[in-house]
């Protein structure tokens, strides 16, 4: 009998955790999902190979000056997200040049990176 009680208690605890996780996942989805970390995505997508974000202490990894892109700290633009995305993905030229390494992530990830870079302006 005590074995049955132990199993029931364990099942109750497991059910509690499963339902709690499902509820928090549903709440995250309803609120637009979890917020993406622009700084982590900047390095995950290797933007820091060519670009720095000096205000966040991130330096470009490339040593070749020819390959370095601009510091993107506080990146401000007069262009729409669609124009920035098209350039970053290598679909559109800017000043007669295409982006050297097309961005392969999602639009949501690119938006998170741009938002994070824009937030660095106050830290300059």
């Amino acid at each position: 009998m005590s074995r049955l009680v132990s199993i029931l208690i364990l099942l109750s605890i497991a059910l509690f955790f499963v339902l709690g996780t499902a509820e928090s996942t549903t709440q995250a989805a309803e609120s637009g999902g979890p917020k993406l970390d622009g700084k982590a995505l900047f390095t995950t997508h290797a933007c820091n190979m060519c670009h720095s974000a000096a205000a966040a202490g991130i330096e470009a990894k490339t040593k070749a000056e020819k390959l370095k892109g601009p510091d993107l700290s506080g990146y401000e633009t007069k262009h729409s997200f669609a124009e920035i995305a098209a350039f970053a993905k290598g679909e559109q030229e800017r000043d007669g040049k295409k982006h050297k390494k097309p961005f392969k992530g999602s639009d949501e990830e690119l938006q998170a990176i741009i938002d994070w870079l824009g937030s660095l302006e106050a830290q300059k």
Side-chain angles (χ1 to χ4, degrees):
M1 186 69 161
S2 67
R3 188 172 196 193
L4 180 61
V5 171
S6 297
I7 291 172
L8 287 174
I9 291 172
L10 287 174
L11 286 174
S12 297
I13 292 170
L15 185 60
F16 173 77
F17 282 110
V18 168
L19 290 177
T21 302
E23 184 177 325
S24 64
T25 302
T26 302
Q27 289 171 347
E30 290 171 356
S31 67
K35 187 174 187 233
L36 297 174
D37 183 348
K39 182 178 182 179
L41 290 166
F42 186 81
T43 55
T44 299
H45 284 289
C47 302
N48 62 321
M49 290 304 295
C50 302
H51 296 283
S52 60
I58 298 173
E59 294 300 321
K61 290 188 175 190
T62 185
K63 300 298 180 204
E65 288 299 319
K66 185 176 182 179
L67 297 177
K68 280 189 180 179
D71 180 348
L72 297 178
S73 296
Y75 184 68
E76 290 289 327
T77 184
K78 296 177 184 172
H79 303 282
S80 68
F81 173 76
E83 292 171 317
I84 296 168
F87 175 71
K89 292 177 180 183
E91 300 166 353
Q92 181 177 323
E93 292 183 356
R94 182 169 292 161
D95 299 327
K97 297 177 185 176
K98 283 193 173 189
H99 197 262
K100 291 179 182 163
K101 185 177 182 224
F103 182 78
K104 301 290 185 198
S106 69
D107 285 347
E108 292 79 15
E109 291 172 321
L110 185 55
Q111 185 67 62
I113 292 169
I114 291 168
D115 290 346
W116 170 71
L117 289 167
S119 76
L120 298 177
E121 182 176 34
Q123 299 173 21
K124 279 186 175 181

